[in-house]
Each structure stands twice: as C-alpha cells, then as structure tokens.
C-alpha cells in the first residue's frame, strides 16, 4: 500500500466568452489567450491549464481515479460561456518525504531536462535507475514541466529583420508572432494521433530563427515520423504568414542542448538574449556537447552604469572626498548586488582602476575607511563562486584579473603611515599594513595569513619573512601585505602547460623601496601535484615569471621560496610526472644511459679496428660512414643529455640549460638524419643499380643531410622561440611542449617523418629484391651489403620510431606509469640497440670480431682449416663449367685465402 501518494493531473480547457473573465487564481494557470475566427466564435478563445492533486492509497483507488477522469465533465458553473475539456493527463505521481516532494513518472513517460515541475523549487535527480523530481516544498500551486510521453523540437527561419521586441514576452510583436505560429502549426499537426500541444519557445537572431516544441502522448519515434510526414503542410501554413527561408524548416527528436533560459539548440548554435530586468547588455551562449555554455556576457547593473557616468563627470575636478564617496557607493552597490556577473566584474575592475590612476596622478591619500571599502569590494568580486564568471570575462578581457591585482597594489601604497596599522580579513582576501618604524625595522618582518578554500576543511597558510638586514640602508614608509586564494585561479597560467597555481597569491609592497631577499612559505592546496616552481606575477609581460625566484625546499605540505625582489608571489605545480614514477624512471634512465654510452663507444672501437676491411667497396664504405656518424651523434647527444640533467633550473643561469638543450636537440636530429641517409643509400643502390656516384660527392651529400639539416632546424627553432622565453621548459632542460610555439615539434615531426620514410624505403627494397633481374647488375659484396643495410633499417627504424611514439604518449597521458617506463627503457637503451642491430647484426663484422678475439679464447676452434680440409669441401654444389653460358667471365679473390673464389659475370651475350 502506498500512503500519501497522489497524482498531478493537468486538465486543459478551452472556453469562449468575454475577455478577462478568468485570471490567475490558486491552482489555475492561464496559458495564453488565442484569437480565432469571430464568425465561428463570438468571442476570444482562452486556453487554461488546471492542476489537480488527487491522492490514492493503493492500486484499486488508482484504477478508480483513472475511470473517473474518463467521465470528467467541465464545471459549467465556474465559467461564463461554453467550455470544452480538450485533454486530461495523469502522468506524474508524488510522495511526501520529510516535508518535501519526490515525484516520478508514470510508465512510458519521462522528464525532459533541464528541469521538472517548478523550475525555481525543484531539481531533477538523475542518479539511479528511476529519475525523480525532488522539490523543497510540501505542495505545488502550479507546474510547468510534467512528465511527458514524447517531445519533438522544430525550428525555421523567417526572412525578416530581428528586433529585440521578440525577446520580450509581453510585447505586442512577440504575442503576434507566437500566436500566429502556434495556430498554424496546431492546424497542421492537429490530426496526428497523440498530438497534444505546440508552443513557441524561442526567437533567435539571424534574420528571425524560431524554435518550438511539440508535445504528444505517443512514442517519440511515432510522433516524429508523423510530424515529418506533414512537414510540407506545416511549412506551407507558415508561408501564409511569414516569408520563410527555403530549406530552413526542420524537426528533430533530440535536442543536444536544452535549458530554461536558452531553450533548445543543436551543436554550435549561438543564442543571444538581453540581460534580465535591472541589467543592461546581452548574454550569448553556444551549444556544445556539455550543453549551453556562456561565451560572452556583459550584463551590468544599472546602478553600476550610473556610477561609471558619475565618475566620468567628476574626473576632471576630483577631490579626495569625492573619490572616497564614490568608492563607498561602489561598495554598497556591490554588496547589495544579487549576482556577480561578468559584466559587473568588468565594471568594478574598470572603476577601481580609474580610481587608482586618478589618485596616483593627484597624489590623493586613501583613508582607512576607503581602504576598508576597497577590500570589501575585492572580497566580493574574488568570491570563489564568481570564478566561472571570471572565466567568461577573461575570454573577452584577458588582462582584467591582472588589472585588479595591480589596482589593489597601487591603492595600498596610497595609505599614509598615520592610518596604519590596519588589518582587514575577508573570506577571500586578507590585507595588512604597518608603518615602517625604526623599531619595527630592527627586527624581521613577518606576515602570516590563514585561509579556508571552499568545500574543504584544510587550512591554507601563507608566510612572508624579510630579514632585518634588508632595512639597513634607509627606512621605508609602509609595508603592505595581502593574500588571496581566488587570484591564483583567475590569473592565467600561460607557461608550463598543465601547471597551476597551488597556493595563495601573496603580495608584499614597500613603496619606492627595494630589497634583495624575501622568503615565502606556502601551503599546498593539492598535495598530489609535483615539480613546484616559485614565481611572481610579471605585470610587464602579464604572465607568471620565475626570474629572481627559486625553490628553497619542498615538504609534503609546504613549499619554501626565496626571491630577490618585491611584488605578488605564488608557486606553480604540475601533474606532468607522478611522484611515484620519478625514481623508477630515473633509475632506468641512468642505468640505460650507462649501458648505451658503453655500447656506442664499443661501436666506434669495432668500426676503428676493422675500418680497412669494411671499406673495400663503395656501398660498404658509405654504409659504415653512416653507422659511425649515427653512433657518434647519439653518443654526443647522451653526453649533453647528462649535462642537461645535472643543471638546476631554479638556481643556475639559463645559458647552460639553453646550450645543453640546443646540442641535445641538434645531435638527436643528426642521429635521425644519418638514419635517413642510410635509407637513401639503400634506395640508391637497389634502384639505380647501374648509376655510379663518386665517393667525394656521396660524402658531401651525406654530411649535408646528416649535419646540415639538423643544424638549420635547431638554429631556426632557437631563434624563433627563445626571444619569448618559450624555447626550454621551466622545470627541466628540454624542449618546451607547453608553450604556444611548442618547439618540441621541431624534433618530433622530423624524427617521425624520417621513421616513416625509412619504413617505406625498406618495403620498396624488399619488393625489388624479389625480382630476379635486380641482382644481375650488382656484385655479390654489394648485394650482401644492401641486405645488411636493409636488416639494420628494418629493425632500428621501428625501434627508434616507437621510442619517440611513446615519448608523445607521456605528454598526452602524463599520469600513466606504463608510458614513462617504456619510453625511459627504449630511450636509454638506444645505443645498445645500435650495437646489436647496426653492428653485430653484420655477419662480416661478427666474423672479423671473432677472428680478432680468437687468441683470447682458449676453447675456441682452430681459426683456419687445413688446405686438405678445404679441398674436401667443394665451394660449389654443381661442377664448375665457365663455358656453359656464352660470355666473358673473370675469377677474383675476395680474401687472401685460396678458397674464397667468386665468379662474376660482367658481360654476357646470347
């Protein structure tokens, strides 16, 4: 049994009679008056929605109520004139829980977001299998959004000039358009089974874009299908009233965006509305995947607009008293403002900025009451709830937050020593000023503050310490300090990519005074971030800057910074590499680099030992030149990598870091371009078999490609990005990925392009080698060298490509341990891969190396076989008969031993 359950029943009626008979009464909501053909109806027709709440206790009572509704007759005594009930719906049932309502939909009905029932007092609860509408009230006097079985949306465009009257629901033009459209669409859709209601929901600019909703009792698919079948009829009916744009009429069963304010829309639709009563300006939203998103908003309180005009009037003849009065009025308006819109924020920042500029120009002093008003205003606009509005404002005025901070600092310097000490502690900003007396300056200056972020119980602390030795040269007048958590959220972070301010922004101002050392201790807001960077807000470049600041110490909860100047400070932290990953990656990197450097040195030693033997033909000679330069480039790059890793970016001059990054970039690129040269040589030898290039020319091409191209790329990258401090990262010595120019692309793009080119070359070579005609123009040594080159490229190219592919993965998903470990492994062991697959994979070099090492191995087999043994193992399986083919043959020795005889056919005629 369900006790206390009741239905919400909507009864729609139409009555004909005198105007104004029925108005708004308890439980009765007038929907809209409709004017119809007076020949058929002597008076205007009114449509009303009557809300009934009917309680039932069990399923039997519910069944009886359904039967009663079917027999319901209009209450003729209540109304003058004939009346007809056109629709009775029981779609929603509710129960009372602790003085509140919880409502749900009947079978086959659903809520249509964004709201349910009363939009002011109810919210839609979507968690769980059944969506419920929870209302903070015990009874409903009226309702706007019941559960519905189906809702279809439609839109079309009228080729007429849009006017703001269409945004005012009480204007005559709005009434004319909505009434005409609804009558025509109701006539077109009236015979559709399950059709109940059509209503215009919005007018948008762009000629005139009209949006409407169709509500029905059939399924959404059935209703949509039926509406599409009469679309031409509906469009023709609308053409009778308005000049519709061809092809603009459309209906759809799902609205990507839907809200009470902006109505429905499709992706990328933009909708501009005037601000609500009491405000000037407009608000524009764009339909995105997450719903309507406000992209522009300049809604300003009328009182603020008036205050801006008053300030302009007194600006030329301003006095301290007039400025103080204006600030006081601003404080009152801001505190009484019902909401902090982006337009209000912009106006407040603008007015305070003008007050600051005017006061500085006229050398006005700021009284303690005026300073209190300024901090009160700042506390209101820095409310953490206003951060979304700051986000909207900063899209249009990106320097607004910087201007606010600068204004607060400038006004603070105008407080005379006689008005101090003062201490104002708001919820979102703390301000403290003291006079700099001789006794005060003989001891350290301390400023401490505590703040509590929203939705957390963790106290965030800030501490400023200036040693007494900084005040020995002379005495300043005042020392001002202030702190805010919200400023860290609204001052943009343009450097370090996904870094964020992770503590309070603390400003310390000593007017016309400089110091050489200040210590700051910050609490961390989020403890899971890493890589702290001590920074200050640079008003010249409008960004965070680390010059003159460095990290002293970091604990689990705090960061200690030391700076050499005064201004507004904080620290940035980044989730780029999780803390747990760092020791693992470092260990792999150091061990791998040691093995890699040892392997590369061994490569160069092997090449040196057997240089005479491997350069006997041009192809082999050129291949080994490429391998030597590949090994040498990676060796030097690894050395510079170690130099870069040892540089302390917080303390050392950036010149060392820039040099390390430049040479690391250059030699890593050289490695890949020599790989490209190896691919070019392979393609040249296998495709242009009969073409012979001189060795000096081939060497010139090789060194131009191998070192010339990387040098050009490295120099251009440095020249373009370094002037804007975007060349290197702030936390480590490596190419920057976070800045807008992304210089790391100058390495990643060439490297991955070469990998792709070499893979294509290897595939082409494999296809060519399958054709028997290819080998006829190449001697055996050249062909063996080509095969060895192909094997090296086939293995090394994917390995090197995968290495930097995983490197990109670490940037795309920086929290994934697998990306970092695999990248560190592949990157650190590149030298070992070159030794294995570039040198030791060469069977000729392996044999030479074994022969060289044979005296050192006691258990090795005899290196040379007796001539009798050799004669017992014939070289050719078939009897040698040089005359079985016509042509000229030659016998040649490839090595000193007599058994290595090669038959080469250099001319053949049939």
């Amino acid at each position: 049994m369900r006790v206390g359950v009741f239905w919400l029943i909507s009864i729609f009626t139409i009555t004909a009679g005198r105007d104004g008979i029925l108005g708004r009464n308890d439980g009765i909501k007038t929907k809209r008056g409709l004017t119809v053909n007076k020949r058929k109806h002597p008076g205007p027709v009114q449509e009303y929605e009557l809300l009934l709440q009917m309680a039932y206790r069990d399923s039997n009572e519910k069944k009886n109520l359904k039967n009663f509704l079917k027999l319901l007759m209009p209450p003729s005594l209540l109304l003058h004139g004939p009346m007809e009930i056109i629709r009775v719906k029981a779609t929603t049932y509710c129960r009372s829980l602790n003085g509140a309502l919880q409502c749900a939909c009947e079978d086959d009905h659903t809520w249509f977001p964004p709201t349910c029932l009363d939009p002011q007092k109810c919210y839609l609860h979507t968690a769980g299998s059944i969506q419920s509408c929870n209302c903070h009230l015990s009874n409903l006097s009226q309702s706007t959004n019941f559960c519905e079985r189906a809702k279809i949306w439609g839109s079309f465009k009228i080729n007429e000039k849009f006017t703001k009257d269409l945004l005012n629901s009480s204007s005559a033009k709005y009434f004319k358009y909505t009434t005409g459209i609804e009558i025509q669409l109701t006539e077109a859709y009236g015979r559709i089974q399950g059709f109940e209601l059509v209503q215009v929901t919005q007018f948008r600019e762009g000629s005139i874009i009209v949006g409407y909703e169709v509500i029905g009792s059939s399924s959404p698919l059935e209703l949509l299908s039926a509406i599409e079948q009469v679309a031409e009829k509906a469009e023709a009916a609308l053409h009778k009233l308005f000049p519709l744009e061809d092809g603009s009429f459309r209906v759809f069963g799902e609205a990507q965006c839907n809200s009470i304010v902006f109505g429905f829309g499709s992706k990328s639709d933009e909708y501009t509305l005037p601000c609500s009563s009491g405000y000037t300006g407009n608000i524009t939203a764009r339909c995105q995947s997450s719903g309507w998103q406000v992209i522009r908003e300049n809604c300003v309180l009328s009182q603020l607009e008036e205050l801006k005009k008053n300030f302009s009037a007194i600006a030329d003849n301003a006095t301290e008293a007039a400025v103080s009065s204006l600030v006081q009025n601003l404080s009152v308006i801001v505190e009484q403002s019902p909401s902090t819109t982006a337009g209000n924020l912009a106006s407040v920042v603008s007015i305070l900025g003008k007050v600051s500029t005017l006061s500085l120009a006229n050398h006005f002093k700021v009284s303690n009451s005026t300073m209190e008003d300024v901090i009160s205003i700042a506390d209101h606009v820095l409310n953490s709830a206003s951060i979304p509005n700051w986000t909207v404002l900063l899209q249009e005025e990106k320097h607004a937050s910087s201007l606010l901070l600068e204004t607060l600092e400038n006004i603070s310097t105008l407080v005379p020593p006689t008005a101090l000490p003062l201490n104002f502690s708001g919820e979102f900003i703390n301000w403290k000023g003291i006079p700099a007396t001789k006794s005060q300056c003989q001891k350290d200056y301390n400023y401490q503050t505590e703040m509590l972020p929203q939705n957390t119980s963790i106290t965030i602390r800030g501490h400023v310490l200036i040693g007494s030795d900084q005040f020995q040269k002379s005495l300043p007048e005042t020392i001002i300090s202030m702190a805010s958590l919200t400023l860290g959220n609204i001052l943009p972070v343009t450097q370090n990519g996904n870094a964020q301010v992770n503590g309070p922004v603390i400003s310390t101002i000593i007017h016309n005074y400089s110091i050489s050392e200040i210590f700051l201790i910050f609490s961390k807001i989020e403890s899971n971030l890493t890589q702290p960077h001590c920074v200050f807000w640079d008003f010249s470049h409008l960004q965070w800057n680390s010059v003159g600041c460095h990290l002293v110490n970091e604990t689990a909860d705090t960061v200690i910074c030391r700076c050499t100047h005064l201004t507004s400070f904080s620290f940035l932290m980044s989730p780029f590499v999780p803390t747990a990953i760092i020791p693992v990656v470092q260990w792999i990197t150091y061990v791998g680099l040691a093995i890699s450097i040892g392997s590369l040195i061994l490569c160069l030693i092997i090449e040196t030992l057997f240089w005479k033997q491997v350069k006997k033909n041009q192809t082999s000679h050129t291949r080994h030149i490429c391998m030597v330069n590949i090994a040498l480039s990676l060796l030097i790059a690894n050395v510079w990598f170690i130099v870069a890793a040892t540089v302390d970016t917080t303390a050392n001059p950036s010149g060392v870091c820039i040099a390390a990054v430049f040479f690391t970039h250059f030699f890593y690129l050289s490695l890949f371009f020599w790989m490209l040269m190896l691919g070019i040589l392979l393609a040249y030898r296998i495709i242009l078999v009969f073409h012979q290039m001189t060795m000096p020319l081939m060497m010139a091409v090789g060194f131009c490609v191998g070192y010339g191209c990387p040098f050009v790329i490295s120099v251009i990258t440095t020249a373009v990005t370094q002037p804007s401090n975007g060349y290197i990262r702030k936390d480590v010595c490596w190419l920057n990925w976070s800045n807008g120019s992304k210089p790391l692309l100058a390495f990643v793009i060439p490297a991955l392009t070469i990998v792709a080119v070499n893979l294509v070359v290897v595939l082409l070579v494999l296809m060519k080698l399958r054709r028997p005609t290819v080998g006829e123009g190449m001697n055996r040594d050249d062909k063996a060298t080509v095969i060895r080159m192909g094997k090296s490229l086939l293995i090394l190219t994917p390995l090197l490509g995968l290495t930097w592919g995983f490197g990109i993965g670490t940037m795309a998903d920086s929290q994934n341990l697998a990306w970092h470990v695999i990248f560190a492994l592949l990157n650190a062991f590149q030298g070992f891969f070159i030794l294995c697959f570039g040198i030791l994979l060469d069977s000729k070099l392996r044999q030479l190396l074994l022969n060289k090492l044979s005296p050192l191995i006691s258990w090795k087999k005899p290196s040379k076989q007796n001539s009798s043994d050799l004669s017992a193992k014939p070289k050719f399986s078939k009897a040698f008969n040089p005359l079985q083919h016509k042509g000229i043959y030659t016998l040649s020795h490839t090595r000193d031993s007599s058994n290595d005889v090669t038959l080469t056919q250099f001319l053949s005629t049939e």
Side-chain angles (χ1 to χ4, degrees), residues 686 689 767-778 783:
I686 202 71
V689 178
M767 291 175 62
K768 284 283 186 179
L769 285 174
R770 293 183 63 184
R771 295 171 55 187
T773 55
V774 171
E776 293 176 1
M778 213 185 301
K783 190 170 182 179

Side-chain angles (χ1 to χ4, degrees), residues 647-674:
V647 173
D648 183 0
T649 56
T650 62
N652 285 358
S654 60
V656 179
C657 186
I658 291 171
V661 172
F662 175 84
F663 286 112
T664 306
H665 182 204
F666 170 68
F667 283 107
Y668 270 138
L669 278 179
S670 297
L671 158 69
F672 279 95
F673 274 93
W674 276 107

Side-chain angles (χ1 to χ4, degrees), residues 532-592:
H533 301 281
C534 300
V535 291
F536 71 95
W537 183 254
D538 186 348
F539 290 105
S540 301
H541 298 93
L542 299 170
Q543 64 182 14
W544 292 107
N545 197 329
S546 61
V547 175
C549 293
H550 73 271
L551 180 68
V552 175
N553 191 28
E554 178 192 8
T555 67
D557 302 316
T558 60
V559 169
I560 303 175
C561 297
R562 174 186 175 274
C563 294
T564 58
H565 50 76
L566 292 170
T567 184
S568 297
F569 305 96
S570 192
F571 66 102
L572 304 177
M573 295 188 75
S574 171
F576 190 77
V577 180
T579 307
I581 295 177
I582 294 175
V584 177
V585 172
Q586 285 181 340
W587 185 86
I588 293 172
T589 301
Y590 293 143
V591 172

Side-chain angles (χ1 to χ4, degrees), residues 266-288:
S266 301
K267 190 173 183 181
S268 301
D269 283 354
E270 288 192 8
Y271 192 13
T272 300
L273 286 174
C275 301
S276 57
S277 178
Y279 290 83
T280 62
N282 299 304
I283 180 169
T284 301
R286 179 182 290 125
C287 180
Q288 298 178 352

Side-chain angles (χ1 to χ4, degrees), residues 256-562:
Q256 186 161 357
C257 298
N258 192 19
S259 75
I260 292 295
V261 176
F262 298 105
F264 68 90
S266 301
K267 190 173 183 181
S268 301
D269 283 354
E270 288 192 8
Y271 192 13
T272 300
L273 286 174
C275 301
S276 57
S277 178
Y279 290 83
T280 62
N282 299 304
I283 180 169
T284 301
R286 179 182 290 125
C287 180
Q288 298 178 352
S289 56
S290 57
W292 287 109
Q293 298 292 324
V294 176
I295 57 172
R296 286 185 298 278
E297 183 254 280
N298 56 1
C299 299
V300 182
L301 271 171
S302 303
Q303 298 98 310
L304 278 177
E305 283 291 338
E306 190 66 27
L307 195 64
K308 288 169 73 174
K309 293 178 183 177
N310 293 341
F311 182 86
S312 300
I314 68 167
D316 294 334
N317 301 302
T319 62
E320 283 187 14
V323 172
S324 296
S325 176
L326 185 139
V327 172
Q328 184 180 14
N329 291 337
L330 178 61
S331 176
V332 172
I333 293 171
V334 166
E335 288 180 5
Q336 294 178 349
S337 172
S339 63
T340 307
T341 64
N344 281 350
L345 292 174
S347 295
V348 169
V349 171
S350 175
I351 293 172
L352 285 180
K354 291 177 180 178
V355 166
S356 169
T357 302
L358 184 65
S359 299
L360 287 171
N362 292 280
H363 305 287
F364 291 159
K365 296 298 181 181
V366 173
S367 65
N368 52 4
S369 61
T370 302
M371 194 67 229
E372 185 176 9
D373 288 334
V374 169
I375 297 303
S376 174
I377 295 166
D379 192 56
H380 186 84
V381 299
L382 291 174
N383 189 318
S384 59
S386 66
I387 291 176
N389 294 318
W390 275 104
T391 303
V392 174
L393 172 61
L394 293 171
Q395 291 175 359
E396 295 293 314
E397 301 179 30
K398 60 182 179 179
H399 306 318
S401 55
S402 178
L403 178 59
L404 174 64
L405 177 59
E406 188 175 19
T407 297
L408 293 176
E409 288 191 7
N410 289 339
I411 293 177
S412 298
T413 63
L414 299 175
V415 180
T418 54
L420 301 176
L422 288 174
N423 192 350
F424 305 117
S425 185
E427 188 177 357
F428 303 100
I429 188 171
N430 179 276
W431 189 95
K432 180 182 179 181
I434 63 170
T437 61
K438 187 173 182 179
S439 59
Q440 171 66 45
C441 293
Q442 287 176 348
K443 55 185 179 180
D444 297 342
Y445 171 75
N446 277 280
Y447 167 70
Q448 297 186 56
T449 184
E450 292 185 354
M451 285 160 282
L452 197 66
Q454 292 285 83
N455 304 320
T456 180
S457 58
I458 302 173
T459 301
I460 302 300
R461 296 177 175 86
H463 184 193
V464 175
L465 176 64
I466 304 177
S468 58
D469 59 309
Q470 299 296 312
F471 303 108
Q472 297 303 314
K473 53 184 179 181
S474 62
L475 283 180
E477 290 187 351
T478 61
I479 304 176
I480 310 293
S481 289
M482 61 181 175
S484 172
L485 287 175
T486 309
L487 279 169
N489 292 311
I490 63 176
L491 289 170
V493 179
T494 56
Q495 304 283 339
N496 292 73
N498 55 357
Q500 64 190 66
V501 176
N502 198 32
V505 175
I506 302 178
S507 303
T508 296
I509 309 109
I510 306 177
H511 190 48
N512 292 330
Y513 200 83
S514 62
I515 64 167
S516 59
E517 186 176 69
I518 178 174
F519 289 94
L520 303 108
I521 304 173
F522 303 94
S523 292
K524 295 179 182 178
I525 298 174
E526 295 185 28
S527 58
N528 61 336
L529 300 179
T530 61
Q531 305 172 71
H533 301 281
C534 300
V535 291
F536 71 95
W537 183 254
D538 186 348
F539 290 105
S540 301
H541 298 93
L542 299 170
Q543 64 182 14
W544 292 107
N545 197 329
S546 61
V547 175
C549 293
H550 73 271
L551 180 68
V552 175
N553 191 28
E554 178 192 8
T555 67
D557 302 316
T558 60
V559 169
I560 303 175
C561 297
R562 174 186 175 274

Side-chain angles (χ1 to χ4, degrees), residues 887-898:
I888 304 170
Y889 295 82
T890 183
L891 297 176
S892 63
H893 294 273
T894 58
R895 288 200 293 268
D896 293 339
S897 57
S898 58

Side-chain angles (χ1 to χ4, degrees), residues 129 141 217 388 419 549 592 866 897:
S129 58
S141 60
S217 58
C549 293
N866 296 331
S897 57

